[in-house]
């Protein structure tokens, strides 16, 4: 089974940047096959990785609620499995699945069970699964994505952001999610973080490292360039690589 590594945090903390650079690190370290899962409703991991997507899983699950969407003579199980396979984006370095927006009203127990089983089966074919999640950990908390071993919780360099990261840790404890390693990463650092030390300690999270503010990341975002292609000299690339090495990823 793959080692499942998730990244969570509120919007604007550099979560997707970290997930993309984590995937890049695994590739450069020749760690094996990688499945990337964009589980954030505001899906943009594909843009950070420089790939295009045509189908998101939320649309497939919606289609199961309309009997007319299923071809005559095909069972719902087979239809969903076929559509899920079609949703996979394959590259030479990694594969990508995009979850899409939150689900609407109605019961999704049946398609979610199919999705859970599909991801479990897929996991056997990879060495790593990297999940770009949201602060609410929707797919992890509902056990659609299981067996997460490492969770990196992102915060910007503000007391409010760090308290938000602490609430993610509280959610993990409340739901009794069996995540082995929890880490805090503080991003967009422009100076000394000593004034934030008290807030960091109150989260109960070990500080895995900090990522300084990086003008190159901002420039790549403005010009719609994949963050995956940042130069090796990038402050963010070097900081992420150091963090992952220290955490023995």
């Amino acid at each position: 089974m793959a080692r499942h590594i998730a990244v969570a945090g509120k919007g604007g903390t550099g979560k997707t940047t970290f997930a993309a650079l984590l995937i890049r690190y695994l590739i450069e370290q020749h760690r094996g096959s990688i499945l990337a899962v964009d589980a954030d409703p505001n899906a943009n991991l594909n843009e950070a990785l420089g790939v295009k997507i045509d189908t998101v899983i939320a649309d497939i699950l919606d289609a199961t609620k309309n009997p007319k969407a299923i071809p005559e003579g095909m069972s719902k199980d087979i239809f969903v499995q076929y559509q899920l396979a079609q949703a996979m984006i394959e590259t030479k370095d990694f594969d990508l699945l995009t979850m899409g927006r939150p689900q609407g009203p109605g019961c999704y127990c049946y398609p979610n069970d199919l999705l859970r089983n599909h991801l479990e089966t897929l996991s056997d074919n990879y060495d790593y699964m990297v999940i770009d999640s949201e602060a609410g950990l929707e797919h992890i908390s509902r056990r659609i994505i299981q067996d997460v071993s490492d969770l990196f919780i992102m915060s910007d360099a503000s007391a409010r952001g760090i308290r938000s990261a602490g609430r993610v840790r509280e959610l993990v404890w409340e739901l009794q999610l069996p995540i082995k390693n929890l880490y805090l990463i503080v991003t967009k650092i422009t100076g000394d973080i000593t004034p934030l030390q008290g807030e960091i300690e109150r989260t109960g999270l070990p500080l895995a490292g900090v990522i300084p503010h990086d003008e190159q990341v901002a420039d790549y975002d403005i010009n719609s360039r994949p963050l995956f292609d940042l130069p090796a000299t990038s402050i963010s690339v070097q900081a992420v690589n150091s963090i992952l090495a220290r955490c023995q990823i």
Side-chain angles (χ1 to χ4, degrees):
M1 179 180 291
R3 179 175 179 176
H4 294 182
I5 306 171
V7 186
K10 67 185 183 70
T13 57
K15 175 174 56 65
T16 298
T17 300
F18 183 84
L21 296 181
L22 164 57
I23 292 166
R24 169 174 163 162
Y25 172 86
L26 293 174
I27 293 168
E28 291 179 344
Q29 296 295 315
H30 306 288
R31 294 298 176 82
S33 54
I34 304 163
L35 174 62
V37 178
D38 191 344
D40 190 335
N42 183 27
N44 57 11
L45 180 59
N46 67 296
E47 296 175 359
L49 294 172
V51 297
K52 294 181 179 181
I53 56 172
D54 299 315
T55 305
V56 299
I57 287 174
D59 292 338
I60 296 171
L61 300 188
D62 278 342
T64 66
K65 305 195 75 168
N66 177 13
K68 294 181 180 179
I70 301 174
E72 187 176 349
M74 181 180 288
S75 71
K76 186 184 289 188
D77 286 20
I78 297 299
F79 172 75
V80 173
Q81 294 294 340
Y82 174 78
Q83 292 294 321
L84 290 173
Q86 294 300 305
M88 176 84 78
I89 302 299
E90 299 178 345
T91 78
K92 66 181 181 65
D93 294 318
F94 60 86
D95 296 337
L96 171 65
L97 277 174
T98 302
M99 295 293 191
R101 68 192 183 285
Q103 296 170 3
C107 178
Y108 280 83
C109 297
Y110 171 76
N112 280 345
D113 285 344
L114 286 179
L115 176 55
R116 182 182 300 109
N117 293 336
H118 182 67
L119 289 174
E120 286 179 0
T121 301
L122 278 179
S123 182
D124 293 336
N125 300 322
Y126 295 89
D127 297 300
Y128 289 88
M129 181 187 289
V130 176
I131 305 114
D132 183 6
S133 190
E134 58 176 329
L137 301 174
E138 178 187 1
H139 293 91
I140 297 173
S141 63
R142 288 161 53 220
R143 308 311 203 268
I144 293 173
I145 297 172
Q146 303 189 68
D147 302 315
V148 173
S149 60
D150 307 275
L151 175 61
F152 290 92
I153 305 173
M154 315 297 292
S155 170
D156 57 20
S158 70
R160 181 180 301 174
I162 291 170
R163 287 194 289 269
S164 177
R167 287 192 287 273
V168 177
R169 188 217 29 119
E170 291 171 3
L171 178 63
V172 170
W173 282 17
E174 288 170 6
L175 296 174
Q176 298 182 335
L177 299 176
I179 300 175
K180 182 178 179 182
N181 301 309
L182 296 173
Y183 303 102
L184 173 66
I185 297 176
V186 182
T187 67
K188 303 183 180 180
I189 298 293
T190 57
D192 186 7
I193 67 165
T194 300
L196 295 172
Q197 195 60 44
E199 292 287 353
I200 292 171
E201 291 174 359
R202 279 189 283 275
T203 67
L205 292 165
L207 180 63
V210 301
I211 302 176
H213 174 74
D214 190 343
E215 287 293 343
Q216 283 186 306
V217 169
D219 179 68
Y220 271 53
D221 277 335
I222 290 172
N223 291 286
S224 299
R225 298 178 65 185
L227 299 176
F228 191 79
D229 294 338
L230 282 164
T233 54
S234 159
I235 297 170
S236 294
V237 170
Q238 294 179 354
V240 169
N241 288 353
S242 295
I243 289 169
L244 295 175
R246 284 197 299 272
C247 294
Q248 299 182 330
I249 299 297

